[in-house]
Amino acid sequence: MSDHYNQAMSALDQTLEKVDNCSAEEKLRLHKDLAGLTDMRQKLHQGQVEIVIFGEISTGKSALINALLGQQLAAVDVRGGWTKEVWKVDWNGCGYVVPGLADSRVVLIDTPGVNEVGGSDRAEMAREAAQRADLILFVTDSDLNDVEYSALVTLASLNKPIIVVLNKLDLYSREQRERLMHVLQKDRLQNLIPAEQIVGASADPREREYIIESADGKQRSEWRKPEADVCELKARILEVLDHEGLSLLAINAALYAADKSDRIAALKIEMRNRQAEQIIWSYAGVKALAVGLNPGPAIDILGGTAADAALIVTLAGIYGLEVSWKHAGELAWSIAKAAGWTSASVAATVYAASALKLFSFGKSTLFTAVPQGAAAGYGSYIVGQAAKYYFEHGSSWGSDGPKEVVQLILAAADQKSVMIHLKDEIRKKMQFNQHAGK
């Protein structure tokens, strides 16, 4: 086997390992991706070449499959749109196997028409089939319309080899055929599909009337159905596979693994960030209440510091990391220093309110609770956002450094909105007596 084949197999194994390391909730969201990766690994291991057929309704996709197979296997409905799901069939008579893989086979895969109405689910299945495809056949029966061209552009973006099949050539005169091929090769698809990848076919020729003259000179008419003509298409498919079949398999598998790896990373960040945001707001609210409503002049400050450390430890757990309480305290302090004047302003408000509680023997709590609690909660919110960034980037500030990162977070945070939210929480708590019943 080639190095590319082994590298592709390794990429699939590494991506599957990423799924194994996900949480139960993340695995639940990724169950389709896991199934796709498992199937792709088996596909690569067996050397299964998948040729996926796309095209509009009634362009003759099913007839083309029958013609390539040499037998009537796929139903051909003149109304069009019969294909309701992605289905596959082994192309046993093609004569190609991937060198070095004993179980290798070629599979033809049909998809619903690209212009089928109400096919959102089928469109998703077709998209997945296109991602798995090693070779794509795009079938048309005339010059491309806007829907076909748009679909072809989308498929070309997948960086897979594409053969455009101009089907139903039997319906055109020789001059019309030449004109259509010229338009497709030299005009419509010149910068999208190489000219040699645009071929003609007549997968299901219409019956023709033949005039037969007997030996005695008498004539009679007879309707006959000509043989399907897909010789040029079959030759082009086998030429592509013979030249680079194993490479196509390996590149396709590696691209598939890379796409799924990106999706796994994005999903993990999305889910963990959402959970982290909830935790940050929760701790900011708890800290606001604990500091603001605590009548003790020193206990409120100590409680706030402990809340920040607990917040950092909890956030680390969300991102699959372990942080000691000592490290959490040091990180909270480094964030506070990086926040500069914002931290100083928050600290001044908190300490001033705490001092007032000291001199009033706690009686000023009613007046200091809202401003002190909101300031403490805002400080915790900034600590949480900065710590989230830190853990998102693998316990590193990156090239920007903690000060630059924290300043960016401060600039993005709407202080007024955050403070109002925390003040409202404190006011609600102060107005609610859980022992008073209705």
Side-chain angles (χ1 to χ4, degrees), residues 271-284:
M271 295 183 69
R272 294 178 182 187
N273 282 357
R274 185 169 61 247
Q275 188 179 356
E277 286 291 335
Q278 293 172 347
I279 292 295
I280 290 169
W281 276 111
S282 175
Y283 270 84

Side-chain angles (χ1 to χ4, degrees), residues 375-392:
Y378 178 68
S380 191
Y381 176 82
I382 296 303
V383 167
Q385 291 294 338
K388 180 167 79 74
Y389 180 97
Y390 182 75
F391 295 132
E392 278 179 11

Side-chain angles (χ1 to χ4, degrees), residues 37-342:
L37 283 164
T38 303
D39 287 345
M40 179 58 77
R41 191 186 188 287
Q42 184 178 12
K43 173 182 178 301
L44 183 61
H45 177 73
Q46 294 177 341
Q48 178 176 304
V49 179
E50 294 189 356
I51 301 175
V52 181
I53 297 96
F54 287 89
E56 274 199 333
I57 294 170
S58 300
T59 53
K61 296 187 287 100
S62 301
L64 193 69
I65 291 176
N66 288 332
L68 289 171
L69 293 173
Q71 57 181 310
Q72 191 75 18
L73 188 64
V76 179
D77 190 335
V78 295
R79 294 171 300 173
W82 78 274
T83 305
K84 303 304 181 185
E85 59 184 14
V86 172
W87 64 275
K88 61 181 67 177
V89 59
D90 286 355
W91 189 10
N92 295 321
C94 72
Y96 176 80
V97 293
V98 176
L101 297 175
D103 295 330
S104 175
R105 60 194 177 116
V106 179
V107 177
L108 300 175
I109 300 175
D110 196 10
T111 61
V114 296
N115 59 336
E116 191 161 357
V117 178
S120 58
D121 291 339
R122 291 189 289 276
E124 175 62 24
M125 289 188 292
R127 186 194 65 79
E128 181 69 16
Q131 279 195 319
R132 288 173 53 94
D134 302 295
L135 175 63
I136 292 174
L137 305 185
F138 191 91
V139 185
T140 185
D141 57 7
S142 63
D143 188 11
L144 299 178
N145 59 38
D146 291 341
V147 174
E148 289 177 305
Y149 185 79
S150 177
L152 195 52
V153 169
T154 300
L155 291 171
S157 69
L158 297 175
N159 300 311
K160 307 290 181 73
I162 299 174
I163 299 176
V164 175
V165 185
L166 177 57
N167 194 22
K168 302 185 181 181
L169 286 184
D170 56 292
L171 301 181
Y172 299 100
S173 67
R174 185 179 64 183
E175 292 76 11
Q176 289 173 326
R177 296 179 195 175
E178 292 176 353
R179 174 61 182 162
L180 274 172
M181 291 299 291
H182 179 82
V183 168
L184 290 174
Q185 292 177 339
K186 305 299 183 181
D187 182 13
R188 191 79 66 207
L189 302 176
Q190 184 177 13
N191 298 318
L192 190 64
I193 305 295
E196 65 272 15
Q197 294 291 89
I198 304 173
V199 302
S202 184
D204 186 25
R206 300 288 177 88
E207 287 187 345
R208 292 181 180 177
E209 184 180 13
Y210 293 85
I211 304 300
I212 301 171
E213 185 174 344
S214 60
D216 59 5
K218 293 182 179 181
Q219 293 182 341
R220 62 184 176 86
S221 67
E222 183 176 308
W223 288 86
R224 295 179 183 175
K225 187 178 181 65
E227 292 289 329
D229 182 4
V230 291
C231 295
E232 185 182 4
L233 172 61
K234 183 176 179 180
R236 186 60 192 145
I237 291 173
L238 293 179
E239 184 180 350
V240 170
L241 295 183
D242 285 335
H243 186 255
E244 49 190 345
L246 183 59
S247 295
L248 287 179
L249 273 177
I251 292 171
N252 181 42
L255 286 172
Y256 190 86
D259 178 76
K260 294 303 180 185
S261 180
D262 288 346
R263 171 167 160 72
I264 292 166
L267 180 67
K268 289 171 73 172
I269 290 174
E270 174 198 335
M271 295 183 69
R272 294 178 182 187
N273 282 357
R274 185 169 61 247
Q275 188 179 356
E277 286 291 335
Q278 293 172 347
I279 292 295
I280 290 169
W281 276 111
S282 175
Y283 270 84
V286 168
K287 182 178 176 181
L289 293 171
V291 173
L293 298 180
N294 197 314
I299 298 175
D300 54 1
I301 297 174
L302 294 175
T305 303
D308 285 345
L311 169 58
I312 289 174
V313 170
T314 304
L315 288 174
I318 291 174
Y319 290 93
L321 303 169
E322 288 188 11
V323 173
S324 67
W325 284 90
K326 180 182 178 182
H327 184 199
E330 292 171 351
L331 183 57
W333 175 240
S334 69
I335 293 171
K337 286 193 298 181
W341 284 108
T342 300

